Amino acid sequence: MDTSLDGNAAAGTLGDLFAFDITMAVSTCATCRDARRIAELRAYLDAPGIVLRCASCGAAQLRLVRATDRAWLDLQGIQVLEIHSPTAAD
């Protein structure tokens, strides 16, 4: 019995996750496994988009290209993205 739903069922939870300060998230590089906050990655902004590279090995972790009506986000260089929930004290 297939109990799967379409992606809309995850909209609320995903919406909560993507409403955070991304620079505080910890990215684990898919190439060298170094874990650092996004704020510590090397940012290259002089291309048609944004490229964030690992501060240890230089591998591209995140690529973002935006147009007026859409964006393309490539996270292939990130093995895992650790996002901390805000606490009541924050």
Side-chain angles (χ1 to χ4, degrees):
M1 181 169 139
D2 184 9
T3 60
S4 66
L5 304 170
D6 69 24
N8 290 312
T13 302
L14 290 174
D16 291 343
L17 277 179
F18 283 104
F20 62 93
D21 180 3
I22 186 67
T23 63
M24 298 304 291
V26 177
S27 168
T28 301
C29 179
T31 301
C32 73
R33 308 297 189 259
D34 185 46
R36 295 179 187 247
R37 288 194 170 136
I38 294 289
E40 298 175 42
L41 301 179
R42 300 291 173 233
Y44 295 87
L45 310 177
D46 56 350
I50 295 171
V51 177
L52 296 181
R53 292 187 173 275
C54 178
S56 293
C57 74
Q61 289 192 15
L62 179 148
R63 296 174 192 92
L64 173 65
V65 176
R66 295 192 67 174
T68 55
D69 64 339
R70 69 190 75 196
W72 294 266
L73 179 60
D74 175 4
L75 301 171
Q76 282 185 308
I78 296 177
Q79 181 181 23
V80 66
L81 188 63
E82 180 182 341
I83 303 163
H84 292 268
S85 298
T87 64
D90 287 347

